[in-house]
Amino acid sequence: MRYSPELGREICRRLAAGESQHALAREPGMPSRRTFGDWAAREPEFGAAYEAAKLVGRARRIALDRQADQPRLWRKMLTRQGRRGGSVSPYTPELGEAICLRIAGGESVLAIGADPAMPCSVTIYNWARRDDDFREMYLRAKDMAADLLFDLSREIAMEATEASVRSDRLRIETLRWHTAMLAPKKYGTRRALEPEAGEGAGAAGLQPFTVLIQRFADVEGGPQFTDQDGNEVERPIGA
């Protein structure tokens, strides 16, 4: 099958909507999964849209699965075994990369830790504190997750209907808050910041100023002006 921009857009649209590559490739008139990869490698524009669509679709499937699975997940977490989470695993770069890929795809550490094939969430947090390489990869994954959640909130808003607007508003507000926490400099509420050290003329970033004291004593020549050190100065403009 030959690539066409129209078919490429259709594939990306359906992947972003949550359809799996496996199901899409089995549909008549669609290329195989291997062809998806070949087209992504040969067509840069399609390749970028293809990767983005996979991330959005994955996040959407995770959100839907989590919503359907929420009662079971929380019941499991309330049990002794559920609070502990996954298996006991020594850290390896391969395992760390697998965890960070799931974080970048929108999964929480709590959800990953509930996977029996993964270490528990406490272990993941300890690795992020103690291992410099894993912490750097973990923080990059969090940044990617923030971008994905930001895009996901837009998709939810664009697809909202009159029937779903109330629940969609809650989902969007939650995603906005989560995104701001993950990347406050990029997505947080902007606040006025004081000048940093080194800015302006002063060491603390403050502009210098002079205090003038006007004396109205009965002296020859009229009022006199002195600075904060008591030295006489010329009459300032407007005084």
Side-chain angles (χ1 to χ4, degrees):
M1 180 176 293
R2 298 181 61 181
Y3 171 78
S4 68
E6 293 76 16
L7 182 56
R9 286 192 291 268
E10 176 65 12
I11 291 171
C12 292
R13 183 189 66 79
R14 295 179 61 175
L15 288 177
E19 292 191 50
S20 69
Q21 297 181 71
H22 181 72
L24 193 59
R26 294 181 60 183
E27 183 176 313
M30 283 290 176
S32 65
R33 294 181 62 185
R34 182 174 181 178
T35 302
F36 290 162
D38 292 341
W39 287 355
R42 293 201 309 263
E43 304 288 338
E45 184 176 353
F46 171 75
Y50 174 72
E51 293 299 328
K54 287 195 299 182
L55 287 176
V56 172
R58 177 179 175 81
R60 179 164 296 177
R61 290 195 301 272
I62 290 171
L64 292 175
D65 291 345
R66 187 177 301 164
Q67 184 178 2
D69 223 19
Q70 198 71 6
R72 183 189 63 80
L73 177 61
W74 281 105
R75 283 197 299 270
K76 180 180 179 181
M77 290 175 61
L78 291 174
T79 66
R80 184 183 183 92
Q81 180 181 3
R83 286 198 304 271
R84 197 209 167 279
S87 62
V88 178
S89 305
Y91 176 75
T92 63
E94 293 76 17
L95 182 56
E97 183 177 354
I99 292 171
C100 290
L101 283 174
R102 293 178 65 169
I103 292 174
E107 288 190 72
S108 67
V109 174
L110 187 63
I112 297 172
D115 186 343
M118 287 288 172
C120 67
S121 56
V122 174
T123 299
I124 297 174
Y125 287 129
N126 285 335
W127 288 351
R129 285 195 297 268
R130 298 173 183 173
D131 190 281
D132 293 339
D133 292 336
F134 178 71
R135 179 169 59 252
E136 183 179 353
M137 187 164 50
Y138 172 85
L139 292 176
R140 288 202 307 268
K142 286 288 187 179
D143 286 339
M144 294 175 65
D147 292 337
L148 186 146
L149 294 177
F150 181 81
D151 290 340
L152 181 59
S153 64
R154 180 184 182 278
E155 292 293 325
I156 294 173
M158 296 299 292
E159 296 178 3
T161 63
E162 292 185 4
S164 67
V165 65
R166 294 186 62 184
S167 60
D168 286 340
R169 182 180 293 113
L170 175 61
R171 295 168 65 193
I172 292 170
E173 289 299 323
T174 303
L175 286 171
R176 287 179 58 189
W177 176 85
H178 195 184
T179 301
M181 294 298 102
L182 288 175
K185 291 184 179 180
K186 189 173 184 180
Y187 296 115
T189 303
R190 295 185 177 181
R191 299 177 181 177
L193 301 178
E194 295 182 0
E196 296 182 358
E199 293 184 356
L206 301 177
Q207 298 295 331
F209 63 94
T210 302
V211 177
L212 297 180
I213 303 172
Q214 182 174 354
R215 301 175 60 187
F216 291 94
D218 187 12
V219 296
E220 185 179 355
Q224 295 180 346
F225 297 89
T226 60
D227 61 17
Q228 60 265 38
D229 297 324
N231 302 316
E232 291 189 7
V233 297
E234 295 181 358
R235 178 188 182 95
I237 299 174

